[in-house]
Structure formats: structure tokens, C-alpha cells
Amino acid sequence: ARAARAAAEGFGSWAKAASAQAAQAGARARAGASARVPPQASGLFGKVVEAFKEEYRLAMMDPGDAAAERRKQAPGYVAPGPVDEYTGTTAVATTRRKKSVFETFAEKAGVTSVFAKLSALRSSGAFKKGSDVFEDIRERWETSDSPLVHKIQDMQEGLFTETEQAEAYRVIRTRQPDFNINGFLAEVRRDVPAVLGAYLKGDAEALQKTNVSKEMLERMGGQMRVWQSEQQFVDPRILHLSELELVEVRMMEGEPLVVLQFSCQQINCVRNKEGEIVDGAEDDIQAVHYLWAMQLSPKDFVATDGREYSAQTWQLREMVLRGMMAVAA
């Protein structure tokens, strides 16, 4: 027994010493590895980790909120707000323009003299006579009564005239260079429950805080006043919202318009002030199909310091209820 205890104590002492040596070796190895890693590599690794964290954060958010965050994080994004009036100098200073390398080379090579000769040729009588003949031919072409000429002119207009959809996209890109159709659909889908919920509840104050145009606010307000006068309360719950589909992009009243369609599952139940059901039922679930027209136009805002400003904003211009269909239980 004494021999066994002595052997156990000896093994324990050896194990402690071996563990300490292993810890020292590990510390030396880590120190050597960190010394061999350049600072640039560690900084790059940190950026990659932060990028993964940011993508994970956006992935956990609502798609509409994530699209808005990505739009604000895009390079060149400028947050809307009041613009301070310029109060600097308005003096004009003249400077002598330096000749470019091409201009210097052209003077030495005599190219400018060739251009001067061409300019003199344009002022000659022969050139003027040719210009008059060309103008006469063009006038005859434009005022011709020939059906064939009219057909060719229509083909030319179709080839070189910008379509309404292309014009709308061009205006959108001019006003919002960072416009992305997928992000736009996600942001509108995020706002649908807030708009429909405020409308069905008859909450005019909450509806005014959403991106609804003045024309649409007046129409919705009229329907909400009818419900209030009749003491009727519509069930505002939205059970399901489908994905938004792009119908068309066009111009209306000089502003770009994007038409979308989607469907919601709503409860068709209307109660009076006593809580009695006057239309529908508690389990009458309907698939309601909507058409929304979103228009990009200026909207007035008030900054935190009280200053007013205008910013290009997508606003609900038209809302059409296309139909309802009962959902099978």
C-alpha cells in the first residue's frame, strides 16, 4: 500500500510538471504565431468579421427595413433634409485657360489652318447654295402627302422616340440614383400593413404619418367618416400578405408611377357600437386583391429644428380593390 501511494504521488508530481511545460510551450507557440501575422492581415480579418455581422443583422430584420438600411449605407447616399442657404461670395474671377496638349500639337502640325480653310469654305457661295437645296428637300419630305412617306416617318418615330416606361425609369434614376426595384418592393410591402391597418381602424392621424398622397388621404378620409357616421367598425386584422408583383411603370402628370398588385387575407366582419355583427362573420376569411399605384413626387417635411423642406418620396397615389374571394377553411 505504501509503495502504491508513493507511486501515485510521484505520478501526480510528474503530471503537474508536464502540464506546466505544455502550457509554456503553447504560450510560446501563440506568441510566435501572432508575431508572424502582419497587422494588415489582422485588420482585414476584423473587417471581414464585421461585414459578416452586419449581413447577419440585416438578414434578421424585416426585408423592407433591411432594404432601407442598405440604401442608406450605399456610397453617395444623402439623407433628405433642409438645405442651408449659401451665404458665401458671389464674385467672379477670370483666369487664362492653358492650351491643351492637342491644341499645341495642332498648331505645330498645321491642323488649325485646315480647320480655318474648312470654315472659309462654309461661307462660300457654293456651300450656301447646297444648303438651300438640302433645306428645300427636307421641307418637301416633311410636308409630303404620300402614304409611303408617312409610313416611313412613323417608323422613324417609333425607332427613335423614347417609350413611356423608359422615360419613367430615366426620371426615377435621375431623382433617385440608388433606386433598386427589389428593395423598393420590399419597402412598400413593409408599409402595406400600416396603411391598411390605419385605414380599416379609421385612424386618420396614423394614416397621415404614412406615405399616402393628399388625394388618397381625402378619399380614404371620406370612407372613414362614413363608417364613423354609421357607427360601424371594420375588423382591421390582416392574416396574410402576399408578395408584391410589378404590373407596369409609366408616367402620370409628369411624375413616374409604379403600379403593383398583391393580395391580403382579411376577416370580413363589421360590428356596430354595441359589438354586434352587422355584416360578415368572425370566421369569414376573404382573400382581398389590391392594385396600388406608387408615385415619386415631392413631399413636404418638417425637420427637428422646425425648418420645412421638400424631398422626393414614393407616395400611394391610387388604391383599387380588384375583388374578394372566400378562403376555404
Side-chain angles (χ1 to χ4, degrees), residues 38-88:
Q40 296 84 352
S42 60
L44 179 61
F45 179 75
K47 292 180 180 179
V48 171
V49 172
E50 291 298 327
F52 273 108
K53 288 182 179 179
E54 180 63 17
E55 286 298 323
Y56 178 78
R57 185 182 71 86
L58 294 176
M60 293 296 102
M61 294 173 60
D62 179 87
D65 295 334
E69 284 287 330
R70 288 191 175 93
R71 177 167 52 84
K72 294 177 182 179
Q73 294 175 4
Y77 171 78
V78 178
V83 179
D84 296 330
E85 184 180 358
Y86 178 73
T87 57

Side-chain angles (χ1 to χ4, degrees), residues 105-181:
F105 173 77
E107 289 180 356
K108 293 182 180 180
V111 178
T112 54
S113 61
V114 176
F115 290 155
K117 292 179 181 179
L118 292 176
S119 300
L121 179 63
R122 296 185 59 157
S123 59
S124 64
F127 185 85
K128 291 181 179 179
K129 185 176 181 181
S131 299
D132 295 340
V133 172
F134 177 76
E135 289 294 332
D136 183 53
I137 294 175
R138 186 174 65 175
E139 183 178 357
R140 290 182 181 181
W141 170 265
E142 294 176 351
T143 59
S144 176
D145 296 332
S146 172
L148 180 61
V149 173
H150 289 173
K151 187 174 182 180
I152 295 175
Q153 290 175 348
D154 294 339
M155 291 176 61
Q156 289 178 337
E157 292 179 359
L159 288 174
F160 299 103
T161 302
E162 187 180 31
T163 63
E164 188 176 11
Q165 181 176 354
E167 181 186 2
Y169 273 115
R170 179 178 57 79
V171 175
I172 293 172
R173 295 292 183 186
T174 302
R175 298 181 183 182
Q176 289 187 341
D178 56 349
F179 176 78
N180 178 273
I181 188 62

